[in-house]
Amino acid sequence: MLKYRLPIGLSLIAALLLVLWADESWTGSPLPDSFGGHTLPRGTIIFLVMLPITFMAARELARIMREKQIMAGTGITCLAALVGLTLSYVGPHLFSAARSQEITATAAVLTLLTSLAYYSRHKNTQGVVAAAGGTLLAFVYLGLMFGFVLAIRREHSAWLLAWVLLVTKMSDTGAYFLGRAVGRHKMIPWLSPGKTWEGLAGGALFASATAAGGLWVLAKALPGESLPSPLSGLVVGVLAAGFGQAGDLIMSLFKRDAGRKDSGHSVPGFGGVLDILDSPLLVAPLAYWWLCLTT
């Protein structure tokens, strides 16, 4: 596994840094005259990259649900996830906070009604409620929760978003290596036999050190940016490790329920797209609200 993890992991990091650099560099660039003289909003490049990633993740989620005998259609599952993500990007740029919230709530209602109509189109009630619930899951889990990445970028530098993602992945790295090295006490053996309390402690240690060190570096590199103190990074690092592990366990719950080890095979050494996104999906909302309170 490591022979794939290292080169692919480094490639993914390089691609992520390139996307964040492009978004930071091109934000504010003039758009064509047909856009009314507007400039490129924050997070646009990131949003465009997130669209195919969300599509692939939604395909995996639909496959997981079908293996649990839930009649999840790939098309409607992907559409629900993409609608949720698109609203996370478009809403705050075009509407007030209150109106954006109402539009998102309306979209959730329409997603439910559309999925109920879609799955009952053959005049059969069997499994319709479960399938509609799966569509709403995609809307929230892969649309709105993933949208918190865009919310962070909308209010902060792309490099602060890079810091959030780095802290999350360093937590995963610490948990993986320390858990394999000295892990003895199982955390939740019935759900994820490989998770140990020692691994969780290693993840918290790596995340806290990365969070504090990263904030110190950002303070030097971005003197005009409003940033939390490096000392507070020690706290959020522990929280991020806990939330990241919880995100991983949520995905384990989905996979074990369907009798799968990985969400897919599209990323050698890592599994599927959902196996990579599981931690950031839960850490992103935590990071957004923590930054709101500390900056």
Side-chain angles (χ1 to χ4, degrees), residues 262-283:
D262 296 315
S263 64
H265 306 286
S266 56
V267 189
F270 291 88
V273 175
L274 283 173
D275 292 308
I276 296 176
L277 294 181
D278 52 11
S279 297
L281 282 171
L282 206 59
V283 172

Side-chain angles (χ1 to χ4, degrees), residues 138-245:
F139 178 82
V140 175
Y141 185 60
L142 296 177
L144 301 187
M145 287 175 61
F146 204 14
F148 273 95
V149 170
L150 296 171
I152 294 171
R153 173 61 185 119
R154 189 170 59 248
E155 300 179 16
H156 301 282
S157 164
W159 303 118
L160 190 60
L161 174 58
W163 169 81
V164 171
L165 298 176
L166 178 62
V167 169
T168 304
K169 284 308 171 183
M170 287 303 292
S171 168
D172 290 344
T173 301
Y176 177 79
F177 284 106
L178 199 63
R180 287 177 64 90
V182 299
R184 298 292 182 270
H185 301 86
K186 302 295 184 181
M187 188 185 302
I188 309 179
W190 59 269
L191 178 58
S192 185
K195 293 283 187 300
T196 63
W197 290 107
E198 291 85 354
L200 177 60
L205 181 64
F206 273 53
S208 294
T210 303
L215 287 173
W216 183 84
V217 171
L218 288 175
K220 301 294 184 183
L222 305 172
E225 183 80 9
S226 176
L227 296 169
S229 69
L231 186 60
S232 68
L234 297 174
V235 177
V236 79
V238 174
L239 293 175
F243 274 66
Q245 288 293 297

Side-chain angles (χ1 to χ4, degrees), residues 21-43:
W21 171 83
D23 194 86
E24 185 73 27
S25 300
W26 296 346
T27 290
S29 301
L31 293 172
D33 293 339
S34 56
F35 287 88
H38 292 289
T39 57
L40 192 70
R42 282 188 172 195

